[in-house]
Amino acid sequence: MDQTDSRAPALISWLTEQGLRSHEREGFLQAFCEQMVALGMPLWRFHLAQRAFHPQFGGIGFSWTRTGGMSQERYEHRQAPRDAWLQSPLFHLLAEDLEEFRSDLNDQHVVRFPMLGDLRAQGVTDYFAFGLRFSDEKVPLDPSRPSEGVLISLSSDHPDGFSERDLSLLRSIAPHLGLALKSMSNQQMAKDLLQVYLGRDAGRRVLSGEIQRGSSDRINAVICLFDLKGFTSLAEQVPGPEVIDMLNDYFGIAVTVIQSHGGNILKFMGDGMLTMFNLGSLSKDAKAALDAASELRQKIRLRNIERAEAGLPAPGFTLALHAGDILYGNIGSENRLDFTVIGPIVNQTARISGLHHSVGQSVILSQEVQRAGAEAGHDLVSLGRYMLRSVAEPIELFTIYETLNQPR
């Protein structure tokens, strides 16, 4: 057995162990690069590019250098690929359907692939790249929209570059490296998608195994119902794409504000959004909800001014806050579940929301939220007592008073 082969078993065993543990990729890749250097490989730079299943970015890159350590870059979704990608050796690898690409950074390659010129200027003498697929797709590769898998490049600054022993080691461990990365990538993809589609807390709970129909927790929390005013009439007056853009605009503001105060987005309902504040105590929940409501009112007012100046529809909004015991968990059928909140408090929040026109305020909160948030630092003004359907006693409603010198 030659020297290269003697290094492979221990490294393969380590890769298998890491894949089974499903560690996060950044730390794993840094440890991998350090292992390769410790085994005598003249590695100066390592780069991995991978497709991402995420609404904000379409790809992710990890780069390691012997002197600078690990860094991460996310590539936003784009209608047209970046020039840097189109002119890269990794794009060439996919476009030509090559198993490997190697360059000694000669003038011809430097002209064709500008990034190789940058690497040569930093002392790189050898560049080696390969790809690993995570599926058995038979369709031709589209280099503009890579399929599941990873693209990997390694650079050396040794005068003689990588030896054949080094490359033989890389080829022998590549499938095991791919399996470890696939395990970690699938875990991250599941986490990202569940958080995006279910919300941060619900996604975490589902991923941890809370998936049985009927399983739920009784919690004491603040429920928040956000709606846009006049959406139905606006939807009839403006083209569909503009309606979607408008919803995304206002939902983007609302989600950012609510999450920044610790709230969880439970679901979108047409032009509305159901959210929850559950921070450990009702007083903390109420303070966070009131802070979010106050900030949201200011930010939407400013956004409406900008949209009106641009000739775009600028709807108002309503926000209802209520607090109490709710059931938080899985409801639905055996093959289609929803992780959400149910109970009288949720229904009453919707009925409170329906009183915005009657009370003439965009933000309404119940007496339960007012009591819990009495020390939150907001001026809460009574709007009177109202009867809610299916509630025996009248409930007092409040709003957040806004002084004239507050930001507009």
Side-chain angles (χ1 to χ4, degrees):
M1 182 178 291
D2 62 27
Q3 186 178 354
T4 300
D5 291 334
S6 68
R7 295 182 292 177
L11 188 54
I12 289 172
S13 177
W14 180 81
L15 290 170
T16 302
E17 181 183 5
Q18 297 302 304
L20 289 173
R21 289 180 179 180
S22 293
H23 289 180
E24 51 87 22
R25 286 170 293 181
E26 187 167 347
F28 161 73
L29 289 173
Q30 176 159 330
F32 171 75
C33 292
E34 292 170 353
Q35 288 254 19
M36 300 303 285
V37 172
L39 289 173
M41 180 171 289
L43 181 63
W44 180 80
R45 177 181 181 268
F46 173 95
H47 177 74
L48 179 144
Q50 184 173 6
R51 178 182 174 186
F53 287 85
H54 197 280
Q56 291 179 291
F57 50 92
I60 187 168
F62 298 93
S63 295
W64 175 91
T65 62
R66 199 169 59 237
T67 55
M70 183 66 67
S71 62
Q72 183 182 141
E73 183 179 4
R74 295 178 175 181
Y75 310 116
E76 294 185 357
H77 291 286
R78 298 170 61 96
Q79 292 294 327
R82 299 185 308 168
D83 288 341
W85 164 243
L86 296 176
Q87 298 170 9
S88 71
L90 294 182
F91 180 88
H92 171 71
L93 190 79
L94 288 180
E96 299 298 324
D97 198 17
L98 303 176
E99 291 186 4
E100 299 176 353
F101 172 81
R102 189 180 185 187
S103 173
D104 60 0
L105 283 70
N106 57 60
D107 291 341
Q108 179 183 357
H109 279 164
V110 165
V111 170
R112 183 173 182 182
F113 308 112
M115 69 156 293
L116 294 184
D118 296 335
L119 291 177
R120 186 169 70 176
Q122 298 175 64
V124 170
T125 58
D126 199 358
Y127 177 92
F128 179 73
F130 62 96
L132 297 169
R133 287 196 187 190
F134 288 172
S135 67
D136 59 353
E137 293 176 299
K138 302 302 182 184
V139 296
L141 287 172
D142 180 356
S144 299
R145 295 180 59 85
S147 59
E148 289 187 69
V150 294
L151 296 171
I152 295 173
S153 71
L154 301 97
S155 304
S156 174
D157 60 350
H158 190 277
D160 298 324
F162 296 114
S163 68
E164 286 305 316
R165 289 175 44 250
D166 294 329
L167 298 184
S168 177
L169 175 64
L170 284 172
R171 294 182 183 111
S172 65
I173 68 168
H176 307 277
L177 174 61
L179 282 173
L181 287 167
K182 182 176 182 179
S183 173
M184 297 173 199
S185 300
N186 286 346
Q187 182 81 358
Q188 186 64 50
M189 180 175 66
K191 181 180 178 181
D192 289 343
L193 291 178
L194 284 172
Q195 288 188 352
V196 166
Y197 282 94
L198 297 182
R200 294 182 300 189
D201 184 68
R204 177 186 59 79
R205 288 170 178 259
V206 170
L207 194 60
S208 68
E210 295 184 36
I211 56 176
Q212 185 177 356
R213 183 171 63 148
S215 63
S216 63
D217 292 328
R218 183 175 293 276
I219 62 175
N220 201 240
V222 170
I223 295 295
C224 171
L225 189 58
F226 170 90
D227 275 294
L228 290 178
K229 286 183 179 178
F231 175 78
T232 301
S233 60
L234 280 174
E236 295 174 350
Q237 298 171 23
V238 299
E242 292 184 23
V243 172
I244 297 299
D245 289 343
M246 180 179 68
L247 282 175
N248 287 336
D249 194 358
Y250 286 96
F251 280 153
I253 295 171
V255 168
T256 299
V257 170
I258 288 170
Q259 288 186 336
S260 71
H261 290 280
N264 287 302
I265 312 302
L266 298 174
K267 64 175 64 180
F268 296 98
M269 305 172 295
D271 63 332
M273 184 173 70
L274 180 65
T275 70
M276 175 184 72
F277 291 86
N278 180 32
L279 304 178
S281 71
L282 205 54
S283 60
K284 292 180 180 178
D285 301 340
K287 182 181 187 313
L290 292 169
D291 289 346
S294 180
E295 182 180 346
L296 189 57
R297 183 159 59 182
Q298 296 173 23
K299 290 198 170 180
I300 287 186
R301 180 187 293 115
L302 292 173
R303 186 64 183 124
N304 281 350
I305 292 173
E306 294 170 351
R307 288 179 63 91
E309 290 175 349
L312 298 172
F317 79 100
T318 61
L319 191 77
L321 300 174
H322 194 22
D325 287 338
I326 57 175
L327 289 174
Y328 182 43
N330 288 291
I331 62 168
S333 68
E334 293 181 354
N335 59 7
R336 179 61 174 90
L337 293 173
D338 189 12
F339 205 102
T340 188
V341 290
I342 59 173
I345 295 298
V346 182
N347 298 334
Q348 291 168 21
T349 306
R351 290 165 192 158
I352 291 172
S353 180
L355 294 173
H356 284 95
H357 182 72
S358 300
V359 302
Q361 296 292 328
S362 61
V363 176
I364 308 178
L365 51 129
S366 67
Q367 58 195 28
E368 286 77 12
V369 177
Q370 183 269 337
R371 291 194 201 103
E375 305 299 323
H378 294 275
D379 190 0
L380 306 179
V381 179
S382 176
L383 299 172
R385 301 170 72 206
Y386 293 83
M387 294 297 300
L388 300 181
R389 182 165 56 87
S390 301
V391 178
E393 299 293 331
I395 180 173
E396 187 172 8
L397 301 179
F398 295 79
T399 192
I400 303 175
Y401 179 69
E402 190 175 46
T403 58
L404 293 177
N405 60 355
Q406 282 185 293
R408 291 186 176 275

